[in-house]
Amino acid sequence: PRVGLLLLAPAAPPWPCNMGNQQSAQPVAIPDTRAADEALIRNIDAEWVKTVAGKDAQQSSAYYADDGVLMAPGAPLASGKAEIQKTWAGMLATPGFALSFAPTKVTVSRSGDLAYEVGDYEMTTNDKKGKPQTVKAKYVEVWGKQADGKWKALGDAPTPTH
């Protein structure tokens, strides 16, 4: 007697696998808001400069996210709202303190939730004899769009770069 080996290959069912009214999932297009977000961040910077000129530490630190960081020149790393506000209070209380800054470049991610800016700042403080000393340098700021849609600073890093 011959013994035969029968191999069965899986066959495709005679009906379509996509049953019912299921629609194929199409990726949702994310609107490109980069230009509008860049303009908004530039406006926030302009407001922030005015706030700093008012010497209000609480308002000056309100531009940061709750988990933001500030790397102020000559100060320890300030992490979180309370430390950032304390750092701003110290800077604003410095005799002769004045600060202005403006972005030269703002780049917003395509996803619209992160941005960074590079800019110029000018900071003036009085020396030990009371004479104003001005430092002109650069900074990098990282922004994050919060759940409420507002942009807040995640990382603020002035540098001594000219």
Side-chain angles (χ1 to χ4, degrees):
R2 288 178 51 172
V3 177
L5 182 60
L6 180 61
L7 294 176
L8 295 176
W15 60 88
C17 290
N18 188 4
M19 298 177 67
N21 291 332
Q22 296 176 350
Q23 304 234 344
S24 61
Q26 294 291 327
V28 177
I30 298 171
D32 189 351
T33 60
R34 289 176 290 184
D37 286 329
E38 177 184 343
L40 185 57
I41 289 169
R42 288 178 182 276
N43 287 337
I44 293 168
D45 280 321
E47 291 173 14
W48 198 353
V49 168
K50 292 176 186 174
T51 301
V52 169
K55 307 249 187 208
D56 184 328
Q58 184 176 2
Q59 288 299 315
S60 296
S61 61
Y63 292 88
Y64 294 86
D66 290 340
D67 59 349
V69 295
L70 168 60
M71 295 177 242
L77 174 73
S79 183
K81 287 271 191 162
E83 288 182 18
I84 291 170
Q85 185 173 337
K86 183 179 175 183
T87 300
W88 271 106
M91 288 190 300
L92 294 170
T94 303
F97 180 83
L99 176 67
S100 64
F101 54 92
T104 55
K105 176 182 180 179
V106 176
T107 302
V108 179
S109 68
R110 176 64 180 92
S111 61
D113 59 348
L114 286 173
Y116 77 92
E117 72 180 73
V118 176
D120 298 308
Y121 77 91
E122 193 170 300
M123 185 171 69
T124 302
T125 55
N126 290 349
D127 66 11
K128 293 176 183 175
K129 296 180 182 178
K131 182 180 176 188
Q133 300 294 311
T134 300
V135 172
K136 294 180 182 182
K138 307 280 184 199
Y139 70 90
V140 174
E141 189 87 36
V142 178
W143 294 90
K145 190 178 278 186
Q146 305 301 291
D148 63 3
K150 293 181 180 176
W151 286 98
K152 296 284 185 167
L154 301 176
D156 185 358
T159 72
T161 306
H162 296 281

